[in-house]
Amino acid sequence: MMCYFPYKPAWFLENGAIATVYTALWGQRYWQNTIPHPEPLYKKTVLMGGQNVPIHTWIAIPENAHSTIVGTYGITGELDSNWLLRSLATKAYAQGFAVVLFDWRGHGKTAELSPTLMSDGLFEGEDFVRMAAATAAMGCPRKFWFTGFSLGGQLALWGLKKAADLTKDNEYFGLRYSDIAGGVVLCPNLDKMRSLKYLVSYPFGRYLDSVIVKSLKKLAWQIHDTHSGSLDPAAIQRVNSIWDFDAELVIPKLGFPSVEAYYKASNALQLLPEISKPTLIIYAADDPFFPPDIIPDLQAACGSNPMLDLILTRHGGHLAYMSSKKNQQQAQDPDPWWAWNRVLQWLKYMISLN
């Protein structure tokens, strides 16, 4: 495990909920002013994921690229507006990484291409592998790092699992097991059952649930309008929570008898013992989305699997990790995005070992 300078936010960001909201609002407006590199000029295309689901994809390959990052975002969003994923891609591209970003199933322009809804990793894991295979043929270096954050972190973990399943004994669309370098995940969703029960157990959590479900319902209506007959309008109207969204719209198409069965099948915590490629997990103890009782399970899983490196911080909120000026100077970081700087530091370290 590499050495790194601990995360120390400004005093007013020591509360996880405040840090989460503040950083999301501030970062969306100002992130481009904080990074001394222009965004890559992306090639925007459509690649085929698992089950031949069309996936809207952005690709950028710098000169003399040495590795490739394949990534997506969390429970809601789209590439056009997801500043957090694009900030990582901008920083990584400047350091010689090819970057492959995609709107995952049921999101953004991918939702315009197909009415296929999300599956919390059960099928998106194969999408990661298909993105790697397709972009390797397009010139991306064959050292792929799967990444994501929040629910996207769960998808990336499933990507690593599916990569092993699909490539360990055979090539998969020309991709070999040795082409998969590893993964990096930030504040990953690990146990949706526990997390949703925790989220609706306190006022700020219920507020977060209501904000997310508004975005999910808007997305559902867009899919309904774009793909006539794909979603039942009465079911969309009955949705009032994330749990309802999965119950009314997701599990009927996946064939699960209950939301509980779906969450058990897609649970990412169960994947950690099986991860067979080097993987970094960054997780905050004060994350307002996830219950504290997940942390001992996460620590135990990482402690028993030498492929997993865990950076567990006292503060950080959900995806926030915005450094104070003093912390940024002490860590010798070029910008305030502490977590992404640790990710790139870790990747550079891992690459140096090979």
Side-chain angles (χ1 to χ4, degrees):
M1 178 66 178
M2 67 174 190
C3 295
Y4 66 93
F5 199 88
Y7 175 63
K8 296 180 180 178
W11 64 269
F12 66 95
L13 297 181
E14 291 182 352
N15 176 286
I18 292 173
T20 300
V21 174
Y22 177 87
T23 304
L25 296 175
W26 192 92
Q28 186 173 21
R29 293 187 63 183
Y30 300 113
W31 75 270
Q32 289 173 310
N33 298 333
T34 67
I35 297 175
H37 308 288
E39 271 201 274
L41 295 176
Y42 291 103
K43 177 183 179 180
K44 300 180 181 181
T45 188
V46 176
L47 301 177
M48 287 298 167
Q51 302 82 49
N52 290 321
V53 173
I55 306 291
H56 177 67
T57 312
W58 293 8
I59 305 164
I61 308 174
E63 291 186 16
N64 303 315
H66 53 74
S67 308
T68 304
I69 288 175
V70 181
T72 195
Y73 43 81
I75 190 170
T76 61
E78 57 184 333
L79 288 181
D80 285 335
S81 61
N82 199 285
W83 70 270
L84 188 58
L85 182 62
R86 287 167 57 185
S87 65
L88 171 62
T90 300
K91 290 167 63 63
Y93 182 87
Q95 294 190 26
F97 290 88
V99 289
V100 178
L101 313 180
F102 64 97
D103 279 324
W104 58 289
R105 297 176 181 223
H107 291 74
K109 288 185 171 57
T110 291
E112 296 176 13
L113 298 168
S114 168
T116 305
L117 286 175
M118 57 286 285
S119 67
D120 284 5
L122 295 175
F123 293 108
E124 290 86 356
E126 185 176 355
D127 294 341
F128 267 88
V129 186
R130 289 286 294 267
M131 296 300 100
T135 56
M138 298 168 69
C140 284
R142 287 178 174 268
K143 287 295 180 184
F144 288 95
W145 298 92
F146 293 169
T147 189
F149 49 79
S150 192
L151 188 52
Q154 176 169 319
L155 307 186
L157 293 171
W158 271 103
L160 294 172
K161 160 70 172 159
K162 290 294 185 180
D165 292 345
L166 294 168
T167 68
K168 207 156 192 179
D169 298 320
N170 303 285
E171 286 192 1
Y172 179 78
F173 288 90
L175 194 74
R176 300 179 298 272
Y177 184 63
S178 59
D179 295 331
I180 307 301
V184 287
V185 294
L186 174 61
C187 304
N189 182 69
L190 296 170
D191 188 329
K192 198 170 179 181
M193 174 74 75
R194 276 195 278 177
S195 294
L196 284 188
K197 286 184 176 180
Y198 172 74
L199 199 64
V200 298
S201 70
Y202 70 105
F204 182 69
R206 288 191 291 274
Y207 165 76
L208 292 173
D209 183 79
S210 68
V211 170
I212 291 170
V213 79
K214 286 179 182 177
S215 295
L216 291 174
K217 288 188 72 169
K218 180 180 178 181
L219 177 63
W221 283 119
Q222 290 172 343
I223 293 173
H224 169 271
D225 295 342
T226 304
H227 305 279
S228 179
S230 60
L231 297 179
D232 179 5
I236 300 174
Q237 290 173 340
R238 290 193 297 267
V239 171
N240 291 304
S241 67
I242 298 172
W243 182 285
D244 291 346
F245 182 87
D246 288 333
E248 294 287 350
L249 301 174
V250 175
I251 66 169
K253 294 181 178 296
L254 294 176
F256 285 97
S258 66
V259 176
E260 290 88 346
Y262 169 50
Y263 289 169
K264 183 178 180 180
S266 59
N267 188 317
L269 198 59
Q270 66 185 332
L271 301 179
L272 298 185
E274 301 183 50
I275 299 297
S276 56
K277 294 287 185 174
T279 299
L280 174 66
I281 300 172
I282 300 180
Y283 202 90
D286 67 350
D287 192 317
F289 277 87
F290 306 137
D293 65 10
I294 286 179
I295 293 173
D297 296 336
L298 172 60
Q299 290 174 305
C302 292
S304 62
N305 185 346
M307 289 292 104
L308 302 178
D309 281 342
L310 173 64
I311 297 179
L312 177 63
T313 60
R314 179 181 178 186
H315 302 296
H318 189 64
L319 313 176
Y321 283 110
M322 189 167 144
S323 293
S324 65
K325 285 287 186 182
K326 182 178 180 180
N327 190 217
Q328 181 180 332
Q329 292 169 357
Q330 290 172 328
Q332 299 183 20
D333 287 340
D335 51 56
W337 308 116
W338 183 91
W340 286 156
N341 288 316
R342 301 294 73 74
V343 163
L344 292 169
Q345 181 185 359
W346 183 85
L347 286 171
K348 182 177 180 181
Y349 171 73
M350 296 305 300
I351 292 167
S352 74
L353 298 179
N354 300 307

